[in-house]
Amino acid sequence: MNPPTTKPMSYVGIAVAVGLAVLLPWFAPNQFYVHLATVGCINLMLVLGLAIIARAGQLSMGHGGFALVGGYVSALLSMKGWPPLLTLFIAAVVAAVIAAALGWIILRLRGVYFVLVAFAFSQIAVLLALDMSSITGGANGLVGVPPISIFGYVLRAKPQFYPFALVCALTTLLLTWLLYRSPLGTMMAATAENQRLTESSGIDTHRVQVIAFTVGSGIAGFAGALSTHYLRFISPDSYTFWESVSYLTMLVVGGRDGVLGPVVGVVVLTPLPELLRSTEGLQHIIYGAVLVLCLMFVPNGLASLIQTWRSRQRVATTGAARVAEEVP
Amino acid sequence: MDIILVQTVVNGLMVGMIYVLMAIGFTMVFGIMRIVNFAHGEFYMAGAFLFAILYGSNGLPFSISVLLAIGATALLGLLMERIVFRKFRGNELNGMIASVGVALILQNSALLMWGSSARTVPPVVSGVLSVGGIVFPWSRLVVIIGAIVAVVSLNLLIGHTRIGRAMRAVAQDAEIAQVQGIRVDVIFPVAFVLGVSLAGFAGVLMAPVLSVSPFIGLAPTLKAFVIVVIGGLGSVPGAVAGGLLIGLIESFAGTFVSASLSEILQFLVVIAVVLLRPQGLLGRKEREA
């Protein structure tokens, strides 16, 4: 699990990608593409959160539950008059605290049990949102969630919201990348690779996994809140089990290692539901089929294909040089 | 004893029996193939739908409808095992993710084929049986009797037949079972088909009691999860105990407090079990790798 060596070419690639993302509102044919890009930014944050949990060797099938909690926390507080810019962070903290408590208990279990309990948690979150109708509005949800405003500048329309979502997504991306390169990130990767061996070298793998789960779920809480202020609406249907599944799909299809995988997964899969909107059932069938086929044939995700191709090119060039030296 | 209390217990055991049926199939597939099947409820949905179409809409005789519905669910299970699950057995995480994909495909295929509107199936028998003031609706009693017959025959199959012994051996250690001459590649599909057929049968039994739609699979999947975590993943007696316990919790919370509290209570029971007895009430401790 070596971090891929960053060549100058990569920096150019990153710069071009970021440049394109920033300039999108100017060359997008219509507002719908800006909307899609905003949704992509929010999805990227959610998938990165999931990727951090996966980096420590766990999967969360309850990721949507934390987004839902974050969404409701931020919506309720901001509707009481708190500034949304602050409530976004409170939402992240609340989701993270719940994840820390839950994770501390259930992360002692082997992977599969953990997934089941996290899944059960997300169902409970949906049920609570439905049930506590005096606070959450029940099945009708909360309408008229205040927009985010930065120093009095209100992010009401799509072109105004997109830059903010992009900044949030890029910041998350950068922080995740830094986390992976930090000693903690190395411990996380080692835990995923071989928990017993890692433990025997004196690392508290339980703590490492709790931290990963807390951070990943906190990001989900932030992203859920962000989405709620963008759509100005949240309901128990906003983040169900199937939303958790779609983030998992993006992660698996893109790739579970590194930060490139989540980006690829989000870019490939965010437009899919929109393109297939007219055929509701078919859209989900394709999602399911993509998930299964990827697991069968590209288990390390599409990003691994890019990396294989790059390293093969490297081998090809250096290999050719060596052959040229040896063969007279 | 108070009559309401007895009635609540009876109701709980009746609901619990269907959960037992769901959880046993689920836990079997995990115990033998090491696959957490998120699509388990989708086979329940398929069984219910096929029965609703054959018996409810086309008016086929009851027994033929039941057999056809279960047969078709079993065939669907065999197909899925061949195409997908076979590739992931033993690989817990990827197998689980793949089963989520299968759940998506099955649920939405049902949506495309049969539409999203809910169907109702006429009751097989109507009326109630009243014993000393305790009421047993016949429609429910049919469900209970069917579930008990299924659980008992499964137990006989696992405990007293060659294939049952082979399945137990594979569940304990697939590699050693293979060395002993057990055809593991036969046992896996048999176990999978058996497991999802039980889910299909549960769907058939419940179709006249509930309304049938493509979306009814997720709730029983969640129930099966909760039950096997409480009872011990892979443990059949654990599934029975967990199923009845969850049925009782639901019945008591539903009678005395509120239905939604029951869900939260179940979750708390799960957390408590996980804290105090991580291997589940009747589960074996995982062997150290």
Side-chain angles (χ1 to χ4, degrees), chain A residues 47 247-269 290 294 298-306:
Chain A
V47 177
Y247 309 135
L248 188 65
T249 309
M250 289 176 190
L251 182 63
V252 169
V253 168
R256 276 169 265 188
D257 288 339
V259 292
L260 186 60
V263 174
V264 172
V266 166
V267 168
V268 171
L269 284 177
V290 165
C294 255
V298 209
N300 294 325
L302 295 176
S304 73
L305 293 181
I306 300 173

Side-chain angles (χ1 to χ4, degrees), chain B residues 142-218:
Chain B
V142 171
V143 175
I144 307 315
I145 294 164
I148 291 175
V149 168
V151 171
V152 170
S153 12
L154 179 77
N155 224 24
L156 290 175
L157 179 82
I158 293 179
H160 299 278
T161 61
R162 272 179 70 86
I163 188 117
R165 255 199 303 280
M167 285 188 341
R168 278 183 290 151
V170 173
Q172 246 167 30
D173 195 319
E175 222 167 280
I176 292 186
Q178 188 143 30
V179 173
Q180 296 292 326
I182 291 170
R183 292 277 304 275
V184 171
D185 52 334
V186 177
I187 297 300
F188 280 127
V190 166
F192 190 80
V193 168
L194 214 54
V196 299
S197 302
L198 287 173
F201 185 50
V204 168
L205 289 174
M206 288 305 278
V209 183
L210 301 166
S211 57
V212 179
S213 89
F215 309 112
I216 58 173
L218 185 61

